């Protein structure tokens, strides 16, 4: 948000442009000083992509990313080349003169929330982003009948139905629950996300979506959390589910077992965060077999509930403890869980 200023920028809500975030490389995006109106975002993104297509190295999969071009050129040249492809001048404004956005809801906006126009939006949990065709059609009907014919997707792999009036709320909730999906916030499943995994991606070392759903069901049957804990499962180092910025992050790896073959498994990182809580998670366990993650995470969260300070978040708790202290929270005597 930009307020009154002496730089000739109209007060209002804008987007700031950040470049080169690749959390899989443990790197957050950096603000490049540009302020965009909503209408300018698409042309500027398109211009940047054209600059990359013309100048980036797209012959090498490992280098085929905008980040490498910007690393070579720096922001100044990248923005100069982008500007040449635009019909309007980009607007520069210092980050510190902007009002920061309100922190995001870590549970993906599940539940019923008021809108500024007096209506409501309903956040619906779609576990790891999966729905059947009949559920999709039924939710589209809910949006048409009780909302404004619109569905929005969230980065937590859930969805939002906006524009529901007070008198339609109850009927909309009944219709949502009839699909087998749920709008209620369970503090664990709402922030549980997984990349495509081995069911649909050749790079995957594990069945991320299947393991995530099983983990969510296991934890929901064992405990109730009073604060959201986000769990991100990603199938390989490409980090499509951004494991380094989850409270609990897991990256797929093949784990060797006694007979010499390998099974699905994960390296586990703890304490990641984004936005105002920006932090790259630390690796705590390596090569945990997929069938050992449920008891491990259960023990970890039980220890968190028992040992945290007052209303300390899981991220703060796990950052406060050393890696050795985190190891000691989980009993490994009957498992092959390896410490990092
Ligand atoms: S993180 Fe890896 S396994 Fe998962 S979808 Fe991306 S490329 Fe595929």
């Amino acid at each position: 948000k930009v307020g009154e200023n002496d730089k000739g920028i109209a007060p209002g809500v804008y987007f700031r442009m950040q470049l080169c975030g690749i959390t899989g490389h443990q790197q957050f995006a950096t603000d490049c000083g540009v302020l965009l109106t909503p209408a300018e975002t698409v042309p500027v993104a398109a211009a940047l992509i054209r600059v990359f297509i013309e100048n980036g190295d797209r012959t090498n999969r490992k280098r085929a990313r905008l980040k490498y071009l910007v690393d070579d050129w720096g922001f100044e040249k990248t923005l100069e080349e982008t500007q040449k492809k635009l019909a309007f001048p980009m607007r520069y404004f210092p980050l510190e003169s902007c009002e920061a956005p309100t922190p995001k809801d870590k549970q993906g906006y599940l539940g019923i929330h008021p809108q500024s126009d007096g209506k409501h939006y309903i956040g619906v949990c779609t576990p790891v982003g999966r729905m059947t065709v009949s559920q999709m059609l039924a939710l589209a009907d809910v949006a048409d009948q009780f909302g404004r014919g619109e569905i929005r997707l969230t980065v937590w792999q859930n969805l939002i139905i906006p524009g529901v009036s007070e008198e339609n709320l109850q009927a909309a909730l009944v219709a949502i629950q009839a699909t087998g999906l749920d709008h209620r916030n369970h503090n664990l499943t709402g922030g549980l996300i997984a990349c495509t995994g081995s069911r649909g991606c050749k790079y995957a070392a594990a069945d991320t979506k299947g393991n995530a759903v099983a983990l969510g069901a296991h934890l929901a049957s064992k405990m109730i959390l009073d604060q959201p804990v986000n769990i991100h499962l990603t199938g390989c180092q490409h980090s499509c589910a951004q494991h380094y910025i989850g409270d609990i992050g897991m990256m797929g790896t093949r784990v060797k077992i006694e007979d010499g073959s390998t099974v699905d498994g994960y390296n586990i990182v703890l304490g990641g965060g984004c936005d105002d809580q920006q932090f790259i998670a630390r690796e705590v366990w390596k090569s945990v077999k997929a069938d050992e993650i449920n008891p491990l995470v259960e023990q970890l969260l039980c220890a968190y509930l028992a040992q945290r300070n007052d209303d300390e978040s899981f991220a703060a708790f796990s950052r406060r403890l050393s890696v050795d202290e985190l190891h000691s929270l989980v009993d490994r005597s009957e498992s092959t869980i390896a410490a990092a």
Side-chain angles (χ1 to χ4, degrees), residues 126-130 188-189 192-194 199 206-223 231 233 250 264 266 289-298 301:
T126 49
V128 295
R130 288 214 154 152
L188 272 167
T189 47
L192 178 63
I193 66 171
R199 296 186 188 188
D207 174 17
T208 50
K209 291 217 184 270
N211 294 150
V213 168
L215 176 62
H218 176 81
L219 295 175
S221 73
K222 297 285 183 184
M223 65 183 65
I231 305 177
L233 282 79
M250 302 191 191
D264 288 16
Y266 294 93
K289 287 192 285 188
D291 61 10
E292 292 178 344
I293 62 172
N294 293 6
L296 184 150
V297 177
E298 179 191 342
L301 291 176

Side-chain angles (χ1 to χ4, degrees), residues 67-109:
K67 165 193 157 48
Y68 295 112
L69 181 65
V70 180
D71 283 352
D72 287 346
W73 279 4
F75 278 172
E76 195 177 333
K77 181 170 178 187
T78 305
L79 295 174
E80 273 172 22
E81 294 301 316
T82 303
Q83 183 61 71
K84 288 177 190 169
K85 299 193 178 300
L86 289 167
F88 55 87
M90 286 192 288
R91 185 186 301 97
Y92 289 80
F93 193 71
L95 175 62
E96 40 302 349
S97 301
C98 294
E99 188 183 316
T102 49
K104 291 192 184 68
D105 176 349
K106 287 181 73 174
Q107 285 297 295
Y109 303 91

Side-chain angles (χ1 to χ4, degrees), residues 195-197 201 203-204 234-236 238-240:
C195 77
T196 303
C201 177
Y203 297 109
T234 201
C236 76
H238 295 130
S239 187
C240 296

Side-chain angles (χ1 to χ4, degrees), residues 19-58:
L19 292 178
C20 300
I22 305 186
T23 62
H25 293 215
Q26 307 192 15
Q27 179 179 327
F28 285 101
T30 305
D31 188 281
C32 62
V34 174
L35 197 63
L36 302 169
T37 64
E40 290 166 348
T41 53
V42 173
V44 169
L48 256 173
I49 291 167
R50 288 194 184 100
V51 168
F52 169 63
I53 289 170
E54 289 169 18
N55 301 283
D57 178 2
R58 296 168 66 223

Side-chain angles (χ1 to χ4, degrees), residues 7-320:
K7 297 192 167 50
I9 304 291
V13 175
Y14 294 83
F15 287 90
R16 293 206 63 91
M17 186 156 76
Q18 300 178 327
L19 292 178
C20 300
I22 305 186
T23 62
H25 293 215
Q26 307 192 15
Q27 179 179 327
F28 285 101
T30 305
D31 188 281
C32 62
V34 174
L35 197 63
L36 302 169
T37 64
E40 290 166 348
T41 53
V42 173
V44 169
L48 256 173
I49 291 167
R50 288 194 184 100
V51 168
F52 169 63
I53 289 170
E54 289 169 18
N55 301 283
D57 178 2
R58 296 168 66 223
T59 61
N60 177 353
R61 192 177 189 282
K62 291 188 174 157
R63 301 278 302 171
R65 303 194 73 147
L66 176 64
K67 165 193 157 48
Y68 295 112
L69 181 65
V70 180
D71 283 352
D72 287 346
W73 279 4
F75 278 172
E76 195 177 333
K77 181 170 178 187
T78 305
L79 295 174
E80 273 172 22
E81 294 301 316
T82 303
Q83 183 61 71
K84 288 177 190 169
K85 299 193 178 300
L86 289 167
F88 55 87
M90 286 192 288
R91 185 186 301 97
Y92 289 80
F93 193 71
L95 175 62
E96 40 302 349
S97 301
C98 294
E99 188 183 316
T102 49
K104 291 192 184 68
D105 176 349
K106 287 181 73 174
Q107 285 297 295
Y109 303 91
L110 295 186
I112 303 162
H113 302 267
Q115 295 177 184
S116 56
D117 62 0
K119 295 192 173 179
H120 299 79
Y121 66 87
I122 304 173
V124 182
C125 181
T126 49
V128 295
R130 288 214 154 152
M131 281 182 285
T132 64
V133 171
S134 58
Q135 285 173 326
M136 283 184 203
L137 293 172
L139 287 176
D141 285 344
V142 173
D144 278 340
Q145 205 178 338
F146 304 116
R148 55 176 188 238
E150 183 181 322
I151 289 177
R152 298 183 178 204
L153 306 181
T154 78
V155 292
W156 293 273
Q157 300 181 324
N158 297 317
L159 57 83
I160 288 170
I161 300 174
V164 182
S165 62
E166 184 80 37
E167 59 271 23
N168 280 336
L169 266 180
Q170 199 50 40
L173 295 180
V174 169
I176 289 166
Q177 283 176 3
T179 68
L181 298 172
D182 199 349
H183 71 286
R184 285 169 295 188
N185 179 355
H186 297 292
N187 275 337
L188 272 167
T189 47
L192 178 63
I193 66 171
C195 77
T196 303
S198 57
R199 296 186 188 188
C201 177
K202 68 176 181 177
Y203 297 109
D207 174 17
T208 50
K209 291 217 184 270
N211 294 150
V213 168
L215 176 62
H218 176 81
L219 295 175
S221 73
K222 297 285 183 184
M223 65 183 65
I224 295 173
L225 288 183
D226 54 2
Q227 291 196 35
V229 172
N230 289 172
I231 305 177
H232 298 203
L233 282 79
T234 201
C236 76
Q237 72 279 6
H238 295 130
S239 187
C240 296
Q242 300 188 307
H243 57 288
Y244 277 123
I245 60 168
D247 289 311
I248 299 173
M250 302 191 191
M251 188 189 79
T253 186
R254 301 302 298 168
V255 180
K256 210 166 188 179
I257 57 173
E258 297 71 27
D259 66 4
S261 62
T262 61
V263 295
D264 288 16
Y266 294 93
N267 295 336
I268 300 180
V269 297
L270 300 180
C274 59
D275 298 324
D276 57 328
Q277 301 291 320
Q278 202 171 87
F279 195 83
I280 293 292
R282 288 179 301 166
E283 188 171 82
V284 178
W285 289 281
K286 273 179 97 68
S287 300
V288 180
K289 287 192 285 188
D291 61 10
E292 292 178 344
I293 62 172
N294 293 6
L296 184 150
V297 177
E298 179 191 342
Q299 286 183 61
L300 178 64
L301 291 176
C302 286
Y304 156 64
L305 290 174
Q307 298 180 27
R308 66 183 172 180
N309 294 330
D310 301 324
D311 59 352
E312 188 176 35
S313 69
F314 179 82
F317 171 79
S318 59
R319 290 174 200 169
R320 176 166 62 78

